[in-house]
Every structure is written in C-alpha cells, then in structure tokens.
Amino acid sequence: MRAVLLVCLLAGLAHADLFTAIADLQHMLGAEKDVTTIIDQYIEAERARLDDLRRYAHEYVHRNAHAESVGPEFVTNPINAYLLIKRLTTEWKKVENIMLNNKASTFLKNITDNRVRSEVKFPGEEDLSGAATALLRLQDTYSLDTLDLSNGIIGGEKVSNKLSGHDTFEVGRSAYNQKDYYHCLMWMQVALVKIENENPPTIEEWEILEYLAYSLYQQGNVRRALSLTKRLAKIAPNHPRAKGNVKWYEDMLQGKDM
Amino acid sequence: MRAVLLVCLLAGLAHADLFTAIADLQHMLGAEKDVTTIIDQYIEAERARLDDLRRYAHEYVHRNAHAESVGPEFVTNPINAYLLIKRLTTEWKKVENIMLNNKASTFLKNITDNRVRSEVKFPGEEDLSGAATALLRLQDTYSLDTLDLSNGIIGGEKVSNKLSGHDTFEVGRSAYNQKDYYHCLMWMQVALVKIENENPPTIEEWEILEYLAYSLYQQGNVRRALSLTKRLAKIAPNHPRAKGNVKWYEDMLQGKDM
C-alpha cells in the first residue's frame, strides 16, 4: 500500500521528457531480446576464427620447424626454397588477416538495424542525465538519505535493486555536470563507500577522488580537497592534473587562512 | 648419391640474389620460433575477451528480461528507470567496446619487433617471384615435366614436398607477371588438376581460369580461351571481366578465322 503510494508520488515528480523516455523504455525492452542471440552468434563466429587461426599458425610453425630440423641444405633445393618463401609471405599474410578479421562491426550493425526496425528511441547520454536528475529531485523532495536511496531503500522499504559504485558515481557526475556540487559531494562520498565492498571495484577510486575533491573545494572545504588530492596523486602518480591541483590547493591555503 | 648431385646442379642454377635470400632464410627459421607462442598468447587473450563479453552480454540481457517480466510499471520507479537507462547507455557501450577490442595489432607488432630484433631480412613478394623464376629455369634446363616437378619429383626421385594447387597457381602467376605465357599456361593447367583432389581447394577454379584463358589466347589458342572464359562466366557470374572477355574472344573469332 505504502509502495503504491510512493510510486504515484514518484511519478508525480517526473516531468514530461522523462515520461516520454519511460514510454520509450517500455517499448524497447522487447526489442532488445534479439541482442543475446546476435552476441552468441558473434562469439561463435569468433571462436571459429580462432580455431582457423590456431590451425593455420600451427601448420605455419610446424613446417618451419621441419625445415630447420633438416638444416641449412633444406633451402638449397629450389622447390623447398620456393615453398618456404611462399609460406613466409603469402601464408603469413593469411595468418595476419585471420588475426585482424574481427567481425564485431558487422554484428553490431545487425543490432543497430534491429533497433532501427523496432522504431523505438534508444536512450542517450541526455536521458541518463535526466534520470539521474529525477533521482536527485526525489531525494530533495523527501529529504532522503543518499546511502539509503542508493541501496534502493525509500521510507525504510526496499523498492528497487541497489546501485553499484559506478551507478552511484554516475549520479554524482550528472550533478557535477550541472554545477550542483552539493549533490555531487554526497553521491561521490557514497560511491567511495560502495567500492570498498566491491571486488573488482566497478569504478576506480582515483576517478571518484578528483570529482570529490573539486566538489569539496566548491563547497568551501579546501583543506579536505587538498588531502584527497594528495591521496589521488599518491594512488595515480601519472594522473595529468593531480600534482598541479595539489600545488593549486596548497597555494590557496597559504594565501588565505581557512 | 644422385640426390646430392642434383642439389649441386640446382645450386649452380641459382644466381647471387637467390643465394642471399637462401642465407637469410636459414637465419630466419630460428627467429620464427617465437611466433607460435605469441599467437597462442593472442588466442588466449581473445578467449578471455569472449568470456568477458559473454558474461557482460548475458547480464545485460538477463536484467532487461527481469525488467520486462515486472511489466510497464517497472520503469515508473525512478531508481529502476535510472538503472535501466544506465544499462542501455554506459553498459551497452562497454559490451560494444569488448566486441571491438581485438588485440591483434598489438600481438602482430610483437612479432614484427621480434623479426626486427633478429636482424634477418624477411622475404617479400619479389623474393617469392625470384624463387618461382628459379623453379622455371630449373624446369627448362632439365626439360622437367610440370606435374612431376610440382609433385617434388625430379629425375624420377622424390626430392621435396609436393606443391598444393595454390602453390602451383602462384608459380604460374609469377610467369604471367613476367609475360611468360608459355610457362603460365603449363602451371595453370597443373593447378586445375591439383584442386580437383583438394577439399576445400586451396585456390578457387575461377581464379585459375582467368589466367589460363589469357595465356591460351597469348599462345594463339583463341577457341580454347573462349571456351574456358565461358566456363568462368558460368561459375563466377559476378566476375567483373568474364562476360566482357567472352564477347571479346567471340568478336576475335568472327573477325579472323582460326
């Protein structure tokens, strides 16, 4: 009963765009059924390609080994010399071609064609961002705890699957893209907590740290931003901006006493 | 004894370039040993990629099926809507990336680097052509039968492995490239005989027919060139030149009575 009421409330929050997206999604689920079949066919084709490769490559190497075992006089026979050179040119080319001939593009085109035929709009980045924004609006309206919401818990009830570290990170990133550092901060903190229990983590810690540090800075906490950026520089020593940002935050702290 | 004498005679035929090529070949055989290992590593990496793909793709489809089984109200829950849209965008992208991420180029580069390190010259098209020419010169000098020679038989003795249909075809093609239609004709005829006993054939009949017909025409046998080109047009109806060539030979036969 409470869950039904909740869904009505949630639906009330969604704006027109999201409703269109929801209708599209409902249609699309049916259209995505063929994807497994196509991917299974692709895997089958790739396995056949690898079997071909193994056969050709082993024959190629086996014949070279035979030639070597005969010794240097092997190639003074012009028929042997011809066969060996042909193997090292024409037949090696064939091995290379089998290696390079990944048929993924053809299979992906089949999937795209199926989607076009089904006449449903496939969601894009803007829809993902819209869905994340709807979650944040819901959170504000009902003052929901970020960790609870990310675990699919609303009003003490489990209403959906929980979000992974990466799912949580993406909600934070949507907030960041809208310069909403308040929500970005909360969701990135939860993302850090989530990946602690993931093996392997669905998102790398250093990716979270950069967003988290910048949001802390934007919310006025330069000292904590500096501390997290130092950790970022330590765990990702080749990060293009980490060291520069450490200096930037340090200069800022020296310039003004916070 | 006879075989040793033969090898000396054969060696006497080879010119300086071929000797360089032979010395290179002897060095190279050792250097090609690593190829199997690298290709086996590639096959292993590709199998791991396909296992990854199967896991991701099945999870992708499994979750979609779950959403569909719940029914249209599934996506009116904003957490579900967000997770579904994320799956259809970010996670689908991951499936696509795994499909497209064939690592062949990296492994081929390893093989090329090994070859460079071994400091031996790898043979090219011109060496293949040189080795084929050496065979033809041998054939002329000792008046050897084409079929015997292609079976590794010289002076009644088996002195090497036999040539496949494709090996034989390539000797004919080398002759063709030097406008030596006399030898091209003989070797293409043997290539046709060879593929009759190959399953699958190492070269397609239609590929042989075009060279064979043109060599017959060059040797003055327009009637037989026409007959083979008609067969070519029949077995390869989409061949870009077959139909035009049939007309060309027909016009020629009408113009002059052969």
Side-chain angles (χ1 to χ4, degrees):
Chain A
M1 178 59 188
R2 200 166 154 204
V4 173
L5 188 71
L6 182 74
V7 167
C8 296
L9 286 171
L10 302 185
L13 279 170
H15 56 64
D17 283 356
L18 191 62
F19 267 124
T20 316
I22 286 172
D24 283 337
L25 284 176
Q26 289 168 344
H27 285 123
M28 202 167 27
L29 285 173
E32 284 292 283
K33 272 182 191 166
D34 295 334
V35 168
T36 346
T37 318
I38 295 178
I39 290 183
D40 282 346
Q41 284 166 352
Y42 166 74
I43 291 175
E44 222 30 70
E46 284 287 279
R47 284 199 195 283
R49 176 173 74 85
L50 295 177
D51 287 347
D52 255 17
L53 174 63
R54 194 191 290 276
R55 207 171 47 244
Y56 272 104
H58 279 216
E59 199 179 305
Y60 173 84
V61 174
H62 171 74
R63 289 202 195 160
N64 285 354
H66 168 69
E68 211 192 351
S69 73
V70 172
E73 69 273 22
F74 180 83
V75 284
T76 53
N77 174 327
I79 306 179
N80 286 342
Y82 170 73
L83 285 173
L84 179 60
I85 293 176
K86 179 159 181 283
R87 191 154 66 245
L88 293 167
T89 52
T90 316
E91 282 162 41
W92 173 250
K93 203 87 209 138
K94 188 148 188 171
V95 170
E96 275 189 327
N97 286 344
I98 300 177
M99 283 180 78
L100 293 167
N101 185 27
N102 176 5
K103 297 179 192 77
S105 314
T106 317
F107 284 86
L108 287 172
K109 193 178 171 304
N110 283 352
I111 293 172
T112 313
D113 289 352
N114 271 1
R115 283 179 187 160
V116 170
R117 253 198 308 282
S118 70
E119 291 183 358
V120 285
K121 189 182 155 283
F122 207 72
E125 277 296 318
E126 69 291 354
D127 298 303
L128 181 61
S129 166
T133 306
L135 269 188
L136 298 176
R137 201 174 305 139
L138 175 75
Q139 178 176 27
D140 287 347
T141 309
Y142 297 99
S143 309
L144 303 175
D145 174 73
T146 310
L147 186 59
D148 275 358
L149 182 55
S150 77
N151 282 331
I153 293 165
I154 298 180
E157 273 190 63
K158 180 99 172 122
V159 297
S160 79
N161 286 331
K162 64 178 185 175
L163 275 60
S164 70
H166 191 265
D167 296 333
T168 310
F169 168 80
E170 281 292 337
V171 176
R173 213 164 61 94
S174 283
Y176 176 91
N177 288 336
Q178 292 164 53
K179 300 193 193 325
D180 172 3
Y181 304 108
Y182 168 73
H183 283 109
C184 179
L185 181 55
M186 294 193 295
W187 285 81
M188 289 300 177
Q189 274 169 331
V190 171
L192 269 189
V193 172
K194 295 230 164 197
I195 61 166
E196 273 177 27
N197 299 309
E198 290 176 344
N199 187 16
T202 51
I203 177 92
E204 295 296 326
E205 183 185 350
W206 66 264
E207 290 195 72
I208 301 172
L209 286 179
E210 190 174 15
Y211 287 95
L212 186 50
Y214 190 76
S215 299
L216 281 162
Y217 154 70
Q218 282 288 347
Q219 295 290 105
N221 196 341
V222 183
R223 234 172 258 286
R224 182 108 183 92
L226 171 61
S227 153
L228 289 182
T229 307
K230 279 183 175 169
R231 172 154 177 81
L232 169 62
K234 192 181 160 200
I235 64 174
N238 297 321
H239 190 285
R241 289 173 301 276
K243 285 194 185 69
N245 287 352
V246 167
K247 186 168 186 317
W248 193 62
Y249 290 130
E250 280 175 344
D251 289 351
M252 202 176 302
L253 281 173
Q254 279 170 357
K256 48 179 175 175
D257 197 30
M258 293 182 83
Chain B
M1 176 61 187
R2 199 166 155 203
V4 172
L5 188 71
L6 183 73
V7 166
C8 296
L9 286 171
L10 303 185
L13 279 169
H15 55 66
D17 283 358
L18 191 62
F19 268 123
T20 315
I22 285 172
D24 284 337
L25 284 175
Q26 289 168 342
H27 286 124
M28 201 166 29
L29 284 173
E32 284 293 280
K33 272 183 191 166
D34 295 335
V35 168
T36 343
T37 318
I38 296 178
I39 290 183
D40 282 345
Q41 284 167 350
Y42 167 73
I43 291 176
E44 221 31 70
E46 283 288 278
R47 285 200 194 283
R49 177 175 73 86
L50 295 178
D51 287 346
D52 254 17
L53 174 62
R54 196 191 290 276
R55 209 171 45 244
Y56 271 104
H58 280 217
E59 197 179 307
Y60 173 85
V61 173
H62 171 75
R63 288 200 194 161
N64 285 355
H66 168 71
E68 212 192 350
S69 72
V70 171
E73 69 274 19
F74 180 83
V75 283
T76 53
N77 174 328
I79 306 178
N80 287 340
Y82 169 73
L83 285 173
L84 180 59
I85 292 176
K86 178 159 180 284
R87 192 155 64 247
L88 293 167
T89 52
T90 315
E91 282 161 40
W92 173 250
K93 203 89 210 137
K94 188 148 191 172
V95 170
E96 276 188 328
N97 286 343
I98 299 177
M99 283 180 78
L100 292 168
N101 185 28
N102 176 5
K103 297 179 193 78
S105 315
T106 317
F107 284 87
L108 287 172
K109 193 178 171 305
N110 283 352
I111 293 172
T112 312
D113 289 351
N114 271 1
R115 285 181 187 160
V116 170
R117 253 198 309 281
S118 71
E119 290 182 0
V120 287
K121 190 182 153 281
F122 207 72
E125 277 296 317
E126 68 291 355
D127 298 302
L128 181 61
S129 168
T133 305
L135 268 189
L136 297 176
R137 200 175 306 138
L138 175 75
Q139 178 177 28
D140 286 349
T141 309
Y142 297 97
S143 307
L144 304 174
D145 174 71
T146 311
L147 186 58
D148 275 358
L149 182 55
S150 76
N151 282 332
I153 293 164
I154 298 180
E157 274 190 62
K158 181 98 172 120
V159 297
S160 79
N161 285 332
K162 64 178 187 174
L163 276 59
S164 70
H166 191 264
D167 297 334
T168 311
F169 168 80
E170 282 292 339
V171 176
R173 213 163 63 92
S174 283
Y176 176 92
N177 287 336
Q178 293 165 53
K179 300 197 193 323
D180 172 2
Y181 304 110
Y182 168 73
H183 283 109
C184 179
L185 180 55
M186 295 194 296
W187 286 82
M188 290 299 177
Q189 274 168 332
V190 171
L192 268 189
V193 172
K194 296 231 164 196
I195 59 165
E196 272 177 26
N197 299 310
E198 290 177 343
N199 186 18
T202 51
I203 176 91
E204 294 297 325
E205 183 185 350
W206 65 264
E207 289 195 72
I208 302 174
L209 286 179
E210 190 173 14
Y211 286 95
L212 185 50
Y214 190 76
S215 300
L216 281 162
Y217 153 69
Q218 282 286 349
Q219 295 290 102
N221 196 341
V222 183
R223 234 173 259 286
R224 182 107 182 93
L226 172 60
S227 154
L228 289 182
T229 308
K230 278 182 175 169
R231 172 153 178 81
L232 170 62
K234 193 180 159 201
I235 65 174
N238 297 321
H239 190 283
R241 289 172 301 276
K243 286 194 185 69
N245 286 353
V246 166
K247 188 168 183 314
W248 193 62
Y249 290 131
E250 278 174 345
D251 289 352
M252 200 175 302
L253 282 173
Q254 277 170 359
K256 49 178 176 177
D257 198 29
M258 291 184 83

